Amino acid sequence: MKVIKIDKNEWASGLEKLRSAYELIGPVKEKFYHAFQSLESGQQPDMDYINTRVSPKYVIYPQSELILECSLNENDEDYKIYKEPEKEYTPKAILGIRPCDADSFSLVRRNFDTEEYKDPYWLRAYASTTFVGLACDQPCPTCFCSSAGSGPYSDNNLDILLADNGDHYLARVLTEKGKKLASAAGWSQEAGDEADQQIEQKKQEAESAIQSSVKTDKLASQSLLDLYDATNAIWEKEAFSCINCGTCTFVCPTCWCFDVQDEVAGKKGYRIRNWDSCMYPLFTMHASGHNPRGTKVDRLRQRFMHKLKYYVDKYENGIQCTGCGRCVQLCPVNIDIRRICNMLNSYDPESCTCEVTAS
Ligand code: SF4
Ligand code: SF4
């Protein structure tokens, strides 16, 4: 695999060359936190960051997205006939995305790209995006990517992986999309024979800096009903302090739930898809008034059973979490997916005990 060397001054000039062909999106320091934003002309991404507060999932799956529209003018032939709006899927490049966040798109794809249903909006946005990842040399204490199927130097779902090497990046160009972007930016300097070894050494250092992990080896063999029924041992205690704020779901790169709403403005009707949260009381409210997840125990159980058991059983491909640590950091009452994962993994229905650890 080709490794190229990109001096940091060439990085900046290369990004300017890319602007005519790509919308560039990268991490930018807001008041106290970094966020992914569209970069204006001359604006550089701030690559010296730990991770953003909210993941860049919105680039492919916007928080609020117009999916259909119709005329409400009775004189129009297509009166009240919903149609797809014309949308532009201009090529985008997400710069400096962390490996855990890049990996999340392959998990989410299992929901939006199936035999039975292919979500046209998600798939078009995904196809038009090039992912330029930045390997993670300083994992946070709450990161547990290595045990969640990803890793600080994972190249899964990336087109280019950058490793920061002082005054330059070592860049693994992984796909045709990555080659096209590197060529458009004018980055072509071969990195030399030692580059692979240097990246490997940095990878080992980064992996050994990860302080946190989860155990997932027994999740698949646990009985779904036993875990569901672990109300006294797990769910009531964990749900006690939950305030159903939805923060965990909104910051999560792998949460995909949405709600569809119809709006009217003048003589036009709009159908809009909005992120929603299984932690909200109205998420499952039926028109009859019945709510199958009417208590916070029900809702919290749903979030964690979905990520750590239903997903595991359905896809047989790990947990629905890349270990980015955002929900651990940002839950206002310290509900910790690492603790819950370890409890589910070790739960014994005979004794109603499990390991209560979050390390
Ligand atoms: S962030 Fe914490 S308190 Fe808020 S809904 Fe999620 S688990 Fe509950
Ligand atoms: S569940 Fe939490 S740690 Fe896992 S990907 Fe979502 S926000 Fe990150």
Side-chain angles (χ1 to χ4, degrees), residues 24-30 33-39 45-47 49-59 93-98 101-102 132 134 326:
L24 300 182
I25 295 160
V28 172
K29 179 105 191 258
E30 289 188 322
Y33 303 96
H34 281 84
F36 277 93
Q37 286 178 12
S38 198
L39 302 172
D46 179 359
M47 302 288 270
Y49 81 115
I50 302 294
N51 209 354
T52 53
R53 225 178 177 202
V54 178
S55 83
K57 75 176 170 188
Y58 81 90
V59 177
I94 308 183
L95 307 167
I97 184 172
R98 292 297 186 188
D101 285 344
V132 181
L134 178 62
R326 286 185 177 91

Side-chain angles (χ1 to χ4, degrees), residues 33-199:
Y33 303 96
H34 281 84
F36 277 93
Q37 286 178 12
S38 198
L39 302 172
E40 290 166 15
S41 179
Q43 188 181 16
Q44 290 290 316
D46 179 359
M47 302 288 270
D48 190 17
Y49 81 115
I50 302 294
N51 209 354
T52 53
R53 225 178 177 202
V54 178
S55 83
K57 75 176 170 188
Y58 81 90
V59 177
I60 310 297
Y61 173 40
Q63 185 164 355
S64 191
E65 180 170 26
L66 178 63
I67 53 174
L68 294 171
E69 62 185 3
C70 70
S71 164
L72 296 178
N73 185 339
E74 291 173 21
N75 300 322
D76 286 346
E77 267 183 23
D78 55 358
Y79 171 57
K80 281 195 175 172
I81 297 176
Y82 271 108
K83 295 177 180 171
E84 266 191 49
E86 283 199 11
K87 289 195 192 190
E88 279 194 33
Y89 290 92
T90 46
K92 293 185 172 71
I94 308 183
L95 307 167
I97 184 172
R98 292 297 186 188
C100 56
D101 285 344
D103 204 11
S104 71
F105 291 101
S106 42
L107 273 68
V108 170
R109 186 173 191 144
R110 295 186 185 117
N111 181 57
F112 287 116
D113 183 14
T114 69
E115 290 278 305
E116 303 80 34
Y117 174 70
K118 300 205 178 294
D119 187 285
Y121 312 100
W122 193 94
L123 285 169
R124 282 181 211 137
Y126 179 82
S128 62
T129 303
T130 303
F131 297 87
V132 181
L134 178 62
C136 211
D137 291 322
Q138 290 177 299
C140 298
T142 46
C143 293
F144 55 99
C145 55
S146 303
S147 57
S150 183
Y153 273 67
S154 166
D155 57 16
N156 192 19
N157 204 52
L158 283 173
D159 298 299
I160 296 177
L161 174 65
L162 302 172
D164 191 327
N165 208 26
D167 61 358
H168 63 274
Y169 295 112
L170 293 173
R172 277 195 174 136
V173 182
L174 301 154
T175 64
E176 287 304 315
K177 267 191 192 172
K179 274 188 205 163
K180 193 172 163 194
L181 183 138
S183 156
W187 299 325
S188 57
Q189 188 185 350
E190 296 274 342
D193 297 340
E194 288 162 13
D196 265 322
Q197 214 179 332
Q198 282 177 300
I199 295 175

Side-chain angles (χ1 to χ4, degrees), residues 238-239 241-249 251 277 279-280 300 303-304 327 330-336 340:
E238 290 295 331
S241 54
C242 177
I243 55 172
N244 285 144
C245 64
T247 300
C248 49
T249 53
V251 298
S277 170
M279 297 305 248
Y280 292 157
L300 181 129
R303 170 164 161 80
F304 291 104
C327 62
L330 295 169
C331 172
V333 296
N334 297 328
I335 292 172
D336 189 326
I340 295 177

